[in-house]
Amino acid sequence: MAGLSDDQKHRIAAVLAAGPIIPVISLHRTADALPLADALLEAGIRVLEITLRTPQALPAIELLSKRLPAEVRVGAGTVTDPAAYRQAESAGARFVVSPGITPRLLDYGLTANAPLLPGVATVSELMLGYELGYRSFKFFPAAVSGGIKALQAFSGPFPDVSFCPTGGIRQNTACEYLALDNVLAVGGTWLTPESRVSAGDWAGIARLAKESLASCRGQADRP
Ligand code: 3PG
């Protein structure tokens, strides 16, 4: 079986490089999608992951992919099977993130329009993706799966693999992850706290994102 094409590899790596901080967003009201995205964009965020954990996710992806400027990449997260993958693509997702891997998901990602960022927590999972040509992975749940030390250890046998760790990352640890050579981006929910979203505190969310980007500037500007 043919593996992941170079084009697919570049496309998912480009999504991560456009981060480097990626809000992981679960929406409970479709009406929040645009003002939330505007606040994040104003702060300098360029990649948004909308998780398929609520019924509002697909309509929000559809809306945002039509309304936001082309340089903003809106993707779908928490995609766990090919059926959800197809729905995310139909809604306009520019990339797809899975929390873990299954053979069917990895296989679907090989020829999908929206490139896949498969989730792994162990070397053996990584190797299942690696043998199909995947070179960019979500490392999830990062903090409880070894965190920074695990990522440093992965770089020995897999120097050509890049990661986007998520799960347990907060503003005060994001930069430490981003400082690693094999980390292209970090993601998490700390940028869009549920309490601020439900209160419509868009200014507060923009401030949080600005602070996160500014505090990681050295790492964030890495070519
Ligand atoms: C994810 O899907 O990446 C996680 O839910 C993010 O985890 P966090 O809430 O610890 O940031």
Side-chain angles (χ1 to χ4, degrees), residues 27 29-30 33 50 55-65 74:
L27 286 165
R29 294 182 303 215
T30 312
I50 312 290
Q56 289 76 19
L58 288 170
I61 291 170
E62 195 163 356
L63 180 73
L64 294 177
S65 58
V74 180

Side-chain angles (χ1 to χ4, degrees), residues 22-26 49 51 53 77-78 97-99 138-143 164-170 187-191:
I22 304 177
V24 175
I25 302 166
S26 294
E49 177 186 330
T51 67
R53 297 177 197 174
T78 319
V97 186
S98 62
K138 168 178 167 115
F139 176 44
F140 177 80
C164 174
T166 79
I169 296 177
R170 299 291 173 261
T189 57
W190 88 89
L191 293 144

Side-chain angles (χ1 to χ4, degrees), residues 82-117:
Y85 203 134
R86 270 190 291 273
Q87 287 181 319
E89 289 184 306
S90 302
R94 301 262 301 274
F95 65 96
V96 162
V97 186
S98 62
I101 54 167
T102 69
R104 289 196 313 135
L105 255 184
L106 289 176
D107 188 44
Y108 187 88
L110 294 180
T111 54
N113 288 325
L116 174 65
L117 184 71

Side-chain angles (χ1 to χ4, degrees), residues 21 23 61 73-76 124 135 144 154 159 169 185 202 210 216 218:
I21 291 181
I61 291 170
R73 294 167 158 97
V74 180
S124 296
R135 294 293 181 269
V144 297
F154 292 162
I169 296 177
W202 313 128
K210 268 186 201 148
C216 296

Side-chain angles (χ1 to χ4, degrees), residues 100-184:
I101 54 167
T102 69
R104 289 196 313 135
L105 255 184
L106 289 176
D107 188 44
Y108 187 88
L110 294 180
T111 54
N113 288 325
L116 174 65
L117 184 71
V120 297
T122 67
V123 169
S124 296
E125 291 160 0
L126 191 162
M127 286 174 65
L128 288 173
Y130 192 93
E131 74 177 0
L132 292 174
Y134 289 92
R135 294 293 181 269
S136 301
F137 295 89
K138 168 178 167 115
F139 176 44
F140 177 80
V144 297
S145 304
I148 285 174
K149 284 189 191 309
L151 287 160
Q152 285 168 330
F154 292 162
S155 71
F158 301 102
D160 55 345
V161 169
S162 299
F163 296 92
C164 174
T166 79
I169 296 177
R170 299 291 173 261
Q171 189 171 347
N172 60 340
T173 52
C175 310
E176 294 168 35
Y177 280 93
L178 275 175
L180 300 177
D181 285 342
N182 59 351
V183 171
L184 285 183

